[in-house]
Amino acid sequence: MTARRLGGKPVAEEIRARTAHLVQDLNRDGFTAKLAVVMATGNEATAWYVRSIERAAAQQGVDCQVLQMPEASQDQLAAAITALNNDESVHGIILQTPLPEGVDTAVLVQLIDPAKDIDGANPLSLGRLSVGQPAFAPATARSVLEILEHYRIPLSGQHVAVVGRSAVVGKPLAQLLLQRDATVSICHSRTPKLADFTKAAAITVMAVGRANLLTAEEVADCSVVIDVGTNVDEEGQLVGDVHAASVQPKVRALSPVPGGVGTVTTSLLIWHTVQAAAKVCESIMWRGEPMATRR
Ligand code: NAP
């Protein structure tokens, strides 16, 4: 048996098509969605990622403002976030990490208005998700759900083992899966006999950050495996948390690394921004204000 490849490209294309429709509707109403990215370190990998967000926004007709604030202090970053919260032309805010030494990220993300928190960084967003209220999930967690739904993998009543419990991936993903009526096991570094969970699961999601952690002996026959992990192996190659060569012949479907979850996230950030803009647009329509002033 060869596992079905759950590639991220067609999933991202579907999200972009969805986004294009909504952008068209907004433009018809004289409204343009806008994303703001706050950047405070000169890290090359981060700069590359932010450029890819800018490109994705431009391709979809979404404005993108990058606030370059090298070595900014906690107070300066707090003031920038507050200003973006108050700026009616901005619909999505990303506080790009890493931040300069001494800056408390946990305090700053709590300042992001949940309505503009399009990467689910504010703990309020995770709290809302966990009680079933509308909120943006972090793009990586949502990407996993988008992949499962795109490839029509049934979730209701299925046992999903989520390995990793970070606030960016494992925890929000578990909430999204619960919303789809899955039965979720959240596993982590203190879970004894991890394989007991992954072998019992119809779907395993690996979000750990350890190359080749999941091997064929630890997955159920014909199960589905999603690999969120991004690691660099001894040969300098990007690899996931799944030992793909051994797992592939045993499972029904597997998402690749690279080319899987990571391929979907940027398009989701833009989709979330456009959704946030649509909410604002809708409320302005209700108030009967002229749209042209709201660009
Ligand atoms: P993280 O904050 O370091 O969390 C890792 C999680 O894995 C923790 O919950 C940890 O448990 C658990 N863990 C560590 N060793 C384990 C083991 N041996 N067995 C079971 N669980 C173990 O990492 P993250 O930010 O969630 O990211 C996870 C992976 O996803 C990384 O490889 C990261 O690069 C990747 N990622 C990819 C994307 C993308 O776009 N593709 C985006 C974000 C992250 P404890 O809680 O007990 O420490």
Side-chain angles (χ1 to χ4, degrees):
M1 185 174 71
T2 305
R4 183 173 187 195
R5 184 182 187 276
L6 305 179
K9 206 168 158 219
V11 185
E13 275 164 13
E14 190 184 298
I15 295 165
R16 283 196 289 270
R18 207 192 288 165
T19 305
H21 276 295
L22 194 49
V23 165
Q24 221 171 29
D25 289 349
L26 288 173
N27 290 349
R28 206 176 301 124
D29 290 329
F31 207 88
T32 302
K34 181 173 172 183
L35 171 64
V37 185
V38 179
M39 239 185 119
T41 48
N43 178 320
E44 188 41 47
T46 310
W48 181 88
Y49 178 63
V50 171
R51 277 197 300 274
S52 73
I53 295 173
E54 279 183 287
R55 260 196 316 274
Q59 280 162 6
Q60 300 250 230
V62 170
D63 287 347
C64 183
Q65 176 190 2
V66 179
L67 281 83
Q68 301 278 3
M69 301 181 66
E71 301 314 314
S73 68
Q74 178 95 15
D75 287 349
Q76 287 168 326
L77 289 165
I81 294 168
T82 306
L84 293 171
N85 284 340
N86 294 331
D87 183 341
E88 285 189 20
S89 74
V90 172
H91 309 102
I93 300 171
I94 296 174
L95 177 64
Q96 187 58 51
T97 54
L99 293 172
E101 229 169 90
V103 169
D104 191 338
T105 308
V107 169
L108 291 176
V109 291
Q110 289 181 53
L111 298 177
I112 302 174
D113 178 349
K116 301 187 180 189
D117 184 26
I118 54 97
D119 202 14
N122 187 331
L124 267 181
S125 299
L126 181 55
R128 287 182 180 182
L129 275 183
S130 63
V131 290
Q133 288 179 9
F136 293 112
T140 307
R142 172 69 68 177
S143 298
V144 174
L145 192 75
E146 291 279 350
I147 289 176
L148 291 168
E149 291 189 331
H150 176 89
Y151 289 103
R152 306 202 191 293
I153 313 285
L155 292 173
S156 179
Q158 299 297 311
H159 177 198
V160 185
V162 176
V163 188
R165 59 171 165 179
S166 73
V168 219
V169 195
K171 284 195 181 108
L173 174 61
Q175 298 306 329
L176 293 171
L177 292 165
L178 281 174
Q179 285 176 11
R180 300 295 189 278
D181 300 319
T183 301
V184 185
S185 299
I186 307 174
C187 307
H188 46 81
S189 67
R190 308 292 170 90
T191 303
K193 298 186 182 166
L194 180 64
D196 285 356
F197 293 88
T198 55
K199 277 167 85 171
I203 302 167
T204 295
V205 182
M206 292 300 291
V208 172
R210 292 264 177 100
N212 302 323
L213 183 66
L214 189 81
T215 61
E217 295 77 56
E218 289 140 8
V219 287
D221 283 340
C222 297
S223 60
V224 173
V225 178
I226 305 288
D227 195 350
V228 183
T230 51
N231 315 286
V232 178
D233 70 7
E234 301 89 50
E235 280 109 54
Q237 299 295 313
L238 183 66
V239 295
D241 290 346
V242 178
H243 189 267
S246 75
V247 167
Q248 216 156 22
K250 197 174 175 189
V251 299
R252 181 155 64 93
L254 170 66
S255 75
V257 175
V261 175
T263 318
V264 181
T265 48
T266 308
S267 54
L268 264 179
L269 292 171
I270 309 304
W271 167 238
H272 284 175
T273 303
V274 173
Q275 280 186 306
K279 275 230 166 86
V280 175
C281 181
E282 203 180 314
S283 74
I284 292 172
M285 298 265 260
W286 272 99
R287 297 204 302 264
E289 291 176 27
M291 283 296 170
T293 62
R294 299 287 165 168
R295 192 176 191 280

